[in-house]
Amino acid sequence: TRSELAVPIMASGHPVGVLDTQSTRVNAFDESDLSVLQSLAQQLGIAVENAQLFQAEQRRSEQFRIIGELSSQISSYLEMSEVLSQTVELIQRTFNYHHVGIGLVEGNEVVYKFGAGKLADHPDFTFEPGHLRIGHEGISGQVAATGEAVLVSNVDINPHSTAMNHSDTRSELTLPIRARGQVTGILDLQSDMLNAFDESDVVMLQSLANEAGIAIENARVFEAERRRNDQIQAINTMATNISSVLTLDELLPHATRLVYDTFDYDVVSMFLVDGVAEEAVIQASEGAPTEGGNPAEMGFKISFGQGIIGNVARTGETQLVNN
């Protein structure tokens, strides 16, 4: 090459390509060549932009078709573990992401539950860190706090990024999972390439995260109803078993053991109220030590007003304390 003419191919005011011509002769190009090639480059710019728009629309159409199929599959599961595991498996397998993880909001933390992909296939894989404080730790904690998706093109320069063990992640997209207007979890997608996600991925995958939120809520309702039905059935069976026992020495240990075995509680204790002495006296216990770490010895007494048991014995009102 002895002479060369390079003309930019422009679209929407930005260079999208270069039309390059070369010659083995010196002074091979003149103003006429420049004018012709600039005109051609202008037409090419319009054609390239149209083709890119068409390609993007085709990709988006295909993505939403896939979303429809994935949503249908995810919504078919009723067990919570199946909803979570299949959501990450289906997304990872369909889009071939390096890693897909899903976490649920528990108290003031995001707790990761399931993962899929090369990272999760590592023999030593564990979610470390698997608990991230909402609003304080990691991109997941940030998304759970704000309810807004976060796209990170380069995790190495993002101050919120928290790398998991054995991670080769270079870019990341984390989306909120909602149910009943509340953020109940996060969907985390990771790539081992820089700039792997764009705004169209945010729109597409947020739609999928929304479907996952509905499926998770349905699974929670299903599990609650099934547990309630199992409890009612167990109570009816227990009522039949204990109705034939007539002595307290047999009845209370028998009933305590039935409750302990049936409902899988950590501790079940039975007290009788002594109204004269104003105290509750333990008659039977199964499981770990009783409230306050005291041994569950027969005859152990709790005064009226002392702790939860003492208050219930005094007032006759149920107390539920979840923390």
Side-chain angles (χ1 to χ4, degrees):
T1 298
R2 303 298 302 282
S3 55
E4 184 172 2
L5 172 58
V7 180
I9 300 171
M10 306 292 289
S12 300
H14 302 284
V16 296
V18 177
L19 174 59
D20 183 67
T21 56
Q22 302 179 19
S23 174
T24 58
R25 294 179 291 111
V26 176
N27 300 317
F29 303 102
D30 57 21
E31 291 297 325
S32 175
D33 296 300
L34 178 60
S35 177
V36 169
L37 291 177
Q38 283 180 332
S39 176
L40 179 57
Q42 187 176 8
Q43 294 178 35
L44 279 171
I46 296 171
V48 167
E49 187 172 31
N50 289 340
Q52 288 178 335
L53 288 172
F54 178 72
Q55 188 177 27
E57 288 303 317
Q58 277 191 317
R59 177 172 177 263
R60 185 169 300 173
S61 176
E62 176 65 9
Q63 286 175 333
F64 278 104
R65 182 191 67 78
I66 292 171
I67 283 174
E69 293 179 358
L70 293 181
S71 298
S72 177
Q73 293 180 62
I74 291 170
S75 63
S76 67
Y77 298 107
L78 291 175
E79 298 279 352
M80 180 65 77
S81 60
E82 280 192 332
V83 170
L84 299 177
S85 63
Q86 289 302 312
T87 294
V88 295
E89 288 285 349
L90 288 169
I91 293 174
Q92 195 282 325
R93 191 164 61 243
T94 301
F95 299 108
N96 197 30
Y97 292 129
H98 177 64
H99 177 75
V100 179
I102 194 166
L104 297 181
V105 171
E106 296 182 2
N108 64 347
E109 293 181 323
V110 173
V111 181
Y112 274 89
K113 300 295 184 179
F114 286 93
K118 292 180 181 178
L119 182 59
D121 290 341
H122 194 284
D124 298 325
F125 172 76
T126 55
F127 279 115
E128 279 298 332
H131 294 245
L132 297 170
R133 286 187 300 151
I134 294 173
H136 295 281
E137 294 179 329
I139 297 171
S140 298
Q142 179 185 355
V143 171
T146 64
E148 300 291 335
V150 172
L151 189 161
V152 180
S153 298
N154 185 352
V155 297
D156 292 335
I157 60 175
N158 184 277
H160 298 289
S161 295
T162 304
M164 285 186 291
N165 287 349
H166 312 295
S167 175
D168 297 321
T169 299
R170 304 296 305 282
S171 55
E172 187 170 4
L173 172 59
T174 307
L175 306 124
I177 295 173
R178 292 185 180 86
R180 299 184 180 181
Q182 301 293 321
V183 176
T184 57
I186 61 94
L187 178 63
D188 185 53
L189 307 116
Q190 302 180 19
S191 174
D192 55 0
M193 297 183 296
L194 294 173
N195 303 303
F197 306 99
D198 59 27
E199 289 302 324
S200 68
D201 294 311
V202 176
V203 173
M204 173 193 68
L205 292 161
Q206 185 60 66
S207 175
L208 202 52
N210 294 342
E211 292 290 342
I214 295 171
I216 289 169
E217 182 65 17
N218 289 342
R220 280 179 171 149
V221 171
F222 174 76
E223 288 187 356
E225 288 301 320
R226 185 175 62 180
R227 181 170 182 263
R228 188 173 294 121
N229 290 335
D230 289 345
Q231 287 176 330
I232 291 172
Q233 183 178 354
I235 288 170
N236 289 336
T237 302
M238 289 169 55
T240 302
N241 288 337
I242 65 177
S243 62
S244 60
V245 181
L246 297 179
T247 66
L248 283 176
D249 289 343
E250 293 181 39
L251 174 63
L252 300 181
H254 182 62
T256 303
R257 166 58 67 175
L258 282 174
V259 175
Y260 181 76
D261 290 342
T262 303
F263 296 115
D264 193 34
Y265 297 134
D266 297 311
V267 182
V268 179
S269 301
M270 197 81 70
F271 292 77
L272 286 184
V273 170
D274 184 339
V276 176
E278 294 188 341
E279 57 192 15
V281 184
I282 196 167
Q283 304 294 321
S285 185
E286 296 286 345
T290 59
E291 176 188 352
N294 297 303
E297 296 177 357
M298 295 309 96
F300 175 71
K301 301 174 182 179
I302 295 179
S303 301
F304 278 12
Q306 179 185 351
I308 296 168
I309 294 168
N311 273 310
V312 173
R314 177 176 60 82
T315 64
E317 297 177 358
T318 297
Q319 286 197 19
L320 188 156
V321 182
N322 269 327
N323 189 346

